[in-house]
Each structure stands twice: as C-alpha cells, then as structure tokens.
Amino acid sequence: MADFGKDVRKALEESGCTLVQSCAGDYEIWYSAVTGQHFPVDLVIKSRRHANIVLQHGGVSHQL
C-alpha cells in the first residue's frame, strides 16, 4: 500500500501551510493561511481519499 504522507506535507508547504507542532502520537498540527484554521496531518497516510481530504483542510486546490 502506498504512503501519501510525504506528498501531502510537500503540497501543504508549497501552498503556504506551516507546521505548528509535532505531537507525541503519529500526527502533526498544521496551520493554513488560506483557510485560517489549524488541522491535524497523520505522518503515514495510506489512503488517497484521506490524503485529499487533508489537502482540502489545508486549502490546497489540487488533488493527489
């Protein structure tokens, strides 16, 4: 199964999102200047659908 985690984080950085906090679990907290919201991002994302949902939370217009 594929891991979309790196691709998601790269797309978030390119769209202007910033990493706020690395959490003790398997996720990070990011901030999107586009949406003005904080949102969680899993370190390992196995599903393309979940990856695209995370990108939507970050205000990224393209899909994986």
Coordinates of all heavy atoms in Angstrom, one line a residue:
M1 N 0.8 -1.2 0.0 CA 0.0 0.0 0.0 C 0.9 1.2 0.0 O 1.9 1.3 0.6 CB -0.9 0.0 1.2 CG -2.2 0.7 1.1 SD -3.2 0.5 2.5 CE -4.7 -0.1 1.7
A2 N 0.5 2.3 -0.7 CA 1.2 3.5 -0.8 C 1.2 4.3 0.4 O 0.2 4.2 1.2 CB 0.7 4.3 -2.0
D3 N 2.2 5.2 0.6 CA 2.2 6.2 1.7 C 2.2 7.5 1.1 O 3.1 7.9 0.4 CB 3.4 6.0 2.6 CG 3.5 7.0 3.7 OD1 2.4 7.6 4.0 OD2 4.6 7.1 4.3
F4 N 1.1 8.3 1.3 CA 0.9 9.6 0.7 C 1.4 10.7 1.7 O 1.3 11.9 1.3 CB -0.5 9.8 0.3 CG -1.0 8.9 -0.7 CD1 -1.8 7.8 -0.4 CD2 -0.7 9.2 -2.1 CE1 -2.2 6.9 -1.4 CE2 -1.2 8.3 -3.1 CZ -1.9 7.2 -2.7
G5 N 1.9 10.4 2.8 CA 2.3 11.3 3.9 C 3.2 12.4 3.4 O 3.1 13.6 3.6
K6 N 4.3 12.0 2.8 CA 5.3 12.9 2.3 C 4.8 13.8 1.2 O 5.1 15.0 1.2 CB 6.6 12.1 1.7 CG 7.4 11.5 2.8 CD 8.6 10.9 2.2 CE 9.5 10.2 3.3 NZ 10.7 9.6 2.8
D7 N 4.0 13.3 0.3 CA 3.4 14.1 -0.8 C 2.5 15.1 -0.2 O 2.4 16.2 -0.7 CB 2.7 13.2 -1.8 CG 3.6 12.2 -2.5 OD1 4.8 12.6 -2.7 OD2 3.1 11.1 -2.9
V8 N 1.7 14.7 0.8 CA 0.7 15.7 1.4 C 1.5 16.8 2.1 O 1.2 18.0 1.9 CB -0.2 14.9 2.4 CG1 -0.9 15.9 3.2 CG2 -1.1 14.0 1.6
R9 N 2.5 16.5 2.9 CA 3.3 17.5 3.6 C 4.0 18.5 2.6 O 4.0 19.7 2.8 CB 4.2 16.9 4.5 CG 3.5 16.4 5.8 CD 4.5 15.9 6.9 NE 5.3 14.8 6.5 CZ 4.9 13.5 6.5 NH1 3.6 13.3 6.8 NH2 5.7 12.6 6.2
K10 N 4.5 17.9 1.5 CA 5.1 18.7 0.5 C 4.1 19.7 -0.2 O 4.4 20.9 -0.4 CB 5.8 17.8 -0.6 CG 6.5 18.6 -1.7 CD 7.2 17.7 -2.7 CE 7.8 18.5 -3.8 NZ 8.4 17.6 -4.8
A11 N 3.0 19.2 -0.5 CA 1.9 20.0 -1.1 C 1.5 21.1 -0.2 O 1.2 22.2 -0.6 CB 0.7 19.2 -1.6
L12 N 1.4 20.8 1.1 CA 0.9 21.8 2.1 C 2.0 22.9 2.2 O 1.6 24.1 2.2 CB 0.7 21.1 3.5 CG -0.5 20.2 3.6 CD1 -0.5 19.4 4.9 CD2 -1.8 20.9 3.4
E13 N 3.3 22.5 2.3 CA 4.3 23.5 2.3 C 4.3 24.4 1.1 O 4.5 25.6 1.2 CB 5.7 22.8 2.5 CG 5.9 22.2 3.8 CD 7.2 21.5 3.9 OE1 7.9 21.3 2.9 OE2 7.6 21.1 5.1
E14 N 4.1 23.8 -0.1 CA 4.1 24.6 -1.3 C 3.0 25.6 -1.4 O 3.1 26.6 -2.0 CB 4.1 23.7 -2.5 CG 5.4 23.0 -2.7 CD 5.4 21.9 -3.8 OE1 4.3 21.7 -4.4 OE2 6.4 21.3 -4.1
S15 N 1.9 25.3 -0.7 CA 0.7 26.1 -0.7 C 0.7 27.2 0.4 O -0.2 27.9 0.6 CB -0.6 25.3 -0.6 OG -0.7 24.7 0.6
G16 N 1.8 27.2 1.2 CA 1.9 28.2 2.3 C 1.5 27.8 3.6 O 1.5 28.6 4.6
C17 N 1.1 26.5 3.8 CA 0.8 26.0 5.2 C 2.1 25.8 6.0 O 3.1 25.6 5.4 CB 0.1 24.7 5.0 SG -1.5 24.8 4.3
T18 N 1.9 26.0 7.3 CA 3.1 25.8 8.1 C 2.9 24.8 9.2 O 1.8 24.7 9.7 CB 3.4 27.2 8.8 OG1 2.3 27.7 9.5 CG2 3.9 28.2 7.8
L19 N 3.9 24.1 9.6 CA 3.9 23.1 10.6 C 3.9 23.9 12.0 O 4.8 24.7 12.2 CB 5.1 22.2 10.6 CG 5.3 21.2 11.7 CD1 4.1 20.2 11.7 CD2 6.6 20.5 11.5
V20 N 2.9 23.6 12.8 CA 2.8 24.3 14.1 C 3.5 23.4 15.2 O 4.2 23.9 16.0 CB 1.4 24.6 14.4 CG1 1.3 25.2 15.8 CG2 0.8 25.5 13.4
Q21 N 3.1 22.1 15.2 CA 3.6 21.3 16.3 C 3.6 19.8 15.9 O 2.7 19.3 15.2 CB 2.6 21.4 17.5 CG 2.9 20.6 18.7 CD 1.8 20.8 19.8 OE1 0.9 21.5 19.6 NE2 2.0 20.1 20.8
S22 N 4.7 19.1 16.3 CA 4.8 17.7 16.1 C 4.2 17.1 17.4 O 4.7 17.4 18.5 CB 6.2 17.3 15.9 OG 6.7 17.7 14.7
C23 N 3.3 16.2 17.3 CA 2.6 15.7 18.5 C 3.2 14.3 18.9 O 3.9 13.7 18.1 CB 1.1 15.5 18.3 SG 0.3 17.1 18.0
A24 N 3.0 13.9 20.1 CA 3.5 12.7 20.6 C 3.0 11.4 19.9 O 3.7 10.4 19.8 CB 3.2 12.5 22.1
G25 N 1.9 11.5 19.3 CA 1.3 10.4 18.5 C 1.9 10.4 17.1 O 3.0 10.8 16.9
D26 N 1.2 9.9 16.2 CA 1.6 9.8 14.8 C 1.0 10.9 13.9 O 0.6 10.7 12.8 CB 1.2 8.4 14.2 CG 1.9 7.3 14.9 OD1 3.0 7.6 15.5 OD2 1.4 6.2 14.9
Y27 N 1.0 12.1 14.4 CA 0.4 13.2 13.7 C 1.1 14.5 14.0 O 1.8 14.6 15.0 CB -1.1 13.3 13.8 CG -1.6 13.7 15.2 CD1 -1.9 15.1 15.4 CD2 -1.7 12.9 16.2 CE1 -2.3 15.5 16.7 CE2 -2.1 13.3 17.5 CZ -2.4 14.6 17.7 OH -2.9 15.0 18.9
E28 N 0.8 15.5 13.2 CA 1.3 16.9 13.4 C 0.2 17.9 13.3 O -0.8 17.5 12.6 CB 2.4 17.2 12.3 CG 3.5 16.3 12.2 CD 4.4 16.5 11.0 OE1 3.9 16.9 9.9 OE2 5.6 16.2 11.1
I29 N 0.3 19.0 13.8 CA -0.7 20.1 13.7 C -0.1 21.1 12.7 O 1.0 21.6 12.9 CB -1.0 20.8 15.1 CG1 -1.4 19.7 16.1 CG2 -1.9 21.9 14.9 CD1 -2.8 19.1 15.7
W30 N -0.9 21.4 11.7 CA -0.5 22.4 10.7 C -1.5 23.6 10.7 O -2.6 23.5 11.2 CB -0.6 21.8 9.3 CG 0.6 20.8 9.0 CD1 0.8 19.6 9.6 CD2 1.6 21.1 8.1 NE1 1.9 19.1 9.1 CE2 2.5 19.9 8.2 CE3 2.0 22.1 7.3 CZ2 3.6 19.8 7.4 CZ3 3.1 21.9 6.5 CH2 3.9 20.8 6.6
Y31 N -1.0 24.7 10.2 CA -1.9 25.9 10.1 C -1.9 26.3 8.6 O -0.9 26.4 7.9 CB -1.3 27.1 10.9 CG -2.1 28.3 10.7 CD1 -3.3 28.5 11.3 CD2 -1.6 29.4 9.9 CE1 -4.1 29.7 11.1 CE2 -2.3 30.5 9.7 CZ -3.6 30.7 10.3 OH -4.3 31.8 10.1
S32 N -3.1 26.6 8.1 CA -3.4 27.1 6.8 C -3.7 28.6 6.8 O -4.7 29.0 7.4 CB -4.5 26.3 6.1 OG -4.8 26.9 4.9
A33 N -2.9 29.4 6.1 CA -3.2 30.8 6.0 C -4.4 31.0 5.0 O -5.1 32.0 5.2 CB -2.0 31.6 5.4
V34 N -4.7 30.1 4.1 CA -5.8 30.2 3.2 C -7.1 30.0 3.9 O -8.0 30.8 3.8 CB -5.7 29.1 2.1 CG1 -6.9 29.1 1.2 CG2 -4.4 29.3 1.3
T35 N -7.2 29.0 4.8 CA -8.5 28.8 5.5 C -8.5 29.4 6.9 O -9.6 29.5 7.5 CB -8.7 27.2 5.6 OG1 -7.7 26.7 6.5 CG2 -8.8 26.6 4.3
G36 N -7.3 29.7 7.4 CA -7.2 30.3 8.7 C -7.5 29.3 9.8 O -7.9 29.7 10.9
Q37 N -7.3 28.1 9.6 CA -7.5 27.0 10.6 C -6.3 26.2 10.8 O -5.5 26.0 10.0 CB -8.7 26.1 10.1 CG -10.0 26.9 9.9 CD -11.1 25.9 9.4 OE1 -10.8 24.8 9.1 NE2 -12.3 26.4 9.4
H38 N -6.3 25.6 12.0 CA -5.3 24.5 12.4 C -6.0 23.2 12.1 O -7.2 23.0 12.2 CB -5.0 24.6 13.9 CG -4.2 25.8 14.2 ND1 -4.8 27.0 14.5 CD2 -2.9 26.0 14.3 CE1 -3.8 27.9 14.8 NE2 -2.6 27.3 14.7
F39 N -5.2 22.2 11.6 CA -5.7 20.9 11.3 C -4.7 19.9 11.5 O -3.5 20.1 11.4 CB -6.3 20.9 9.8 CG -5.2 21.3 8.8 CD1 -4.5 20.3 8.1 CD2 -4.9 22.6 8.5 CE1 -3.6 20.6 7.2 CE2 -4.0 22.9 7.6 CZ -3.3 21.9 6.9
P40 N -5.1 18.6 11.8 CA -4.1 17.5 12.0 C -3.7 16.9 10.7 O -4.5 16.8 9.8 CB -4.9 16.6 12.9 CG -6.3 16.8 12.5 CD -6.4 18.2 12.2
V41 N -2.5 16.4 10.7 CA -2.0 15.7 9.5 C -1.3 14.4 10.0 O -0.3 14.5 10.8 CB -1.0 16.5 8.7 CG1 -0.4 15.7 7.5 CG2 -1.7 17.8 8.1
D42 N -1.7 13.3 9.6 CA -1.1 12.0 10.0 C 0.3 11.9 9.4 O 0.4 12.3 8.2 CB -2.0 10.8 9.6 CG -3.3 10.8 10.3 OD1 -3.3 11.1 11.5 OD2 -4.3 10.4 9.7
L43 N 1.2 11.3 10.0 CA 2.5 11.1 9.5 C 2.5 10.1 8.3 O 3.2 10.2 7.3 CB 3.5 10.7 10.5 CG 3.8 11.7 11.6 CD1 4.8 11.2 12.6 CD2 4.4 13.0 11.0
V44 N 1.7 9.0 8.5 CA 1.5 8.0 7.5 C 0.1 8.0 7.0 O -0.8 7.8 7.8 CB 1.9 6.6 8.1 CG1 1.6 5.5 7.0 CG2 3.3 6.5 8.6
I45 N -0.1 8.3 5.7 CA -1.4 8.3 5.1 C -1.5 7.3 4.1 O -0.8 7.4 3.0 CB -1.7 9.7 4.5 CG1 -1.6 10.8 5.6 CG2 -3.1 9.7 3.9 CD1 -1.7 12.2 5.1
K46 N -2.3 6.2 4.3 CA -2.3 5.1 3.4 C -3.4 5.2 2.3 O -3.3 4.6 1.2 CB -2.6 3.8 4.2 CG -1.6 3.5 5.2 CD -0.4 2.9 4.6 CE 0.6 2.4 5.6 NZ 1.8 1.9 5.1
S47 N -4.4 6.1 2.5 CA -5.5 6.2 1.6 C -5.4 7.5 0.8 O -5.2 8.6 1.3 CB -6.8 6.2 2.4 OG -7.9 6.7 1.6
R48 N -5.5 7.4 -0.6 CA -5.5 8.6 -1.4 C -6.7 9.5 -1.0 O -6.6 10.7 -1.0 CB -5.6 8.2 -2.9 CG -5.6 9.4 -3.8 CD -5.7 8.9 -5.3 NE -4.8 7.9 -5.7 CZ -3.6 8.2 -6.2 NH1 -3.3 9.4 -6.4 NH2 -2.8 7.2 -6.6
R49 N -7.8 8.9 -0.7 CA -9.0 9.7 -0.3 C -8.7 10.5 1.0 O -9.0 11.7 1.0 CB -10.2 8.8 -0.1 CG -11.5 9.5 0.3 CD -12.7 8.6 0.3 NE -13.9 9.3 0.5 CZ -14.6 9.2 1.6 NH1 -14.3 8.3 2.5 NH2 -15.7 9.9 1.7
H50 N -8.1 9.9 1.9 CA -7.8 10.6 3.2 C -6.7 11.7 2.9 O -6.8 12.8 3.4 CB -7.2 9.7 4.2 CG -6.9 10.3 5.5 ND1 -7.8 10.8 6.4 CD2 -5.7 10.6 6.1 CE1 -7.2 11.4 7.4 NE2 -5.9 11.2 7.3
A51 N -5.8 11.5 2.0 CA -4.8 12.5 1.6 C -5.5 13.7 1.0 O -5.1 14.8 1.3 CB -3.8 11.9 0.7
N52 N -6.4 13.5 0.2 CA -7.1 14.6 -0.5 C -8.0 15.4 0.5 O -8.1 16.6 0.4 CB -7.9 14.1 -1.7 CG -7.1 13.6 -2.8 OD1 -6.0 14.2 -3.0 ND2 -7.5 12.6 -3.6
I53 N -8.5 14.7 1.5 CA -9.3 15.4 2.5 C -8.4 16.3 3.3 O -8.8 17.4 3.6 CB -10.0 14.3 3.4 CG1 -11.2 13.7 2.6 CG2 -10.6 15.0 4.7 CD1 -11.8 12.5 3.3
V54 N -7.2 15.8 3.7 CA -6.3 16.6 4.4 C -5.9 17.9 3.6 O -5.8 19.0 4.1 CB -5.0 15.8 4.8 CG1 -3.9 16.7 5.4 CG2 -5.4 14.7 5.8
L55 N -5.6 17.7 2.3 CA -5.3 18.8 1.4 C -6.4 19.8 1.3 O -6.2 21.0 1.3 CB -4.9 18.3 0.0 CG -3.6 17.5 -0.1 CD1 -3.5 17.0 -1.5 CD2 -2.5 18.3 0.3
Q56 N -7.7 19.3 1.3 CA -8.8 20.3 1.4 C -8.8 21.1 2.6 O -9.1 22.3 2.6 CB -10.1 19.5 1.2 CG -10.4 19.0 -0.1 CD -11.7 18.1 -0.2 OE1 -12.3 17.8 0.8 NE2 -12.1 17.8 -1.4
H57 N -8.5 20.5 3.8 CA -8.5 21.2 5.0 C -7.4 22.3 5.0 O -7.5 23.3 5.6 CB -8.2 20.2 6.2 CG -9.4 19.4 6.6 ND1 -10.4 19.9 7.3 CD2 -9.6 18.1 6.3 CE1 -11.3 18.9 7.5 NE2 -10.9 17.8 6.9
G58 N -6.3 22.0 4.2 CA -5.3 23.0 4.1 C -5.5 24.0 3.1 O -4.7 24.9 2.9
G59 N -6.6 23.9 2.3 CA -6.9 24.9 1.3 C -6.1 24.7 0.0 O -6.0 25.6 -0.8
V60 N -5.6 23.5 -0.2 CA -4.8 23.2 -1.4 C -5.8 22.8 -2.5 O -6.7 22.0 -2.3 CB -3.8 22.0 -1.1 CG1 -3.1 21.6 -2.4 CG2 -2.9 22.3 0.0
S61 N -5.7 23.4 -3.7 CA -6.6 23.2 -4.7 C -6.4 21.9 -5.5 O -7.4 21.4 -6.1 CB -6.6 24.4 -5.7 OG -5.3 24.5 -6.3
H62 N -5.2 21.4 -5.6 CA -5.0 20.2 -6.4 C -5.2 18.9 -5.6 O -5.1 18.9 -4.4 CB -3.7 20.2 -7.1 CG -2.5 19.9 -6.3 ND1 -1.9 20.8 -5.5 CD2 -1.8 18.7 -6.1 CE1 -0.9 20.2 -4.8 NE2 -0.8 19.0 -5.2
Q63 N -5.4 17.8 -6.3 CA -5.7 16.5 -5.6 C -4.5 15.6 -6.0 O -3.8 15.8 -7.0 CB -7.0 15.9 -6.1 CG -8.2 16.8 -5.9 CD -8.6 16.8 -4.4 OE1 -8.9 15.7 -3.9 NE2 -8.8 17.9 -3.8
L64 N -4.3 14.6 -5.2 CA -3.3 13.6 -5.5 C -3.8 12.4 -6.3 O -5.0 12.1 -6.3 CB -2.7 13.0 -4.2 CG -1.9 13.9 -3.3 CD1 -1.5 13.2 -2.0 CD2 -0.7 14.5 -4.0

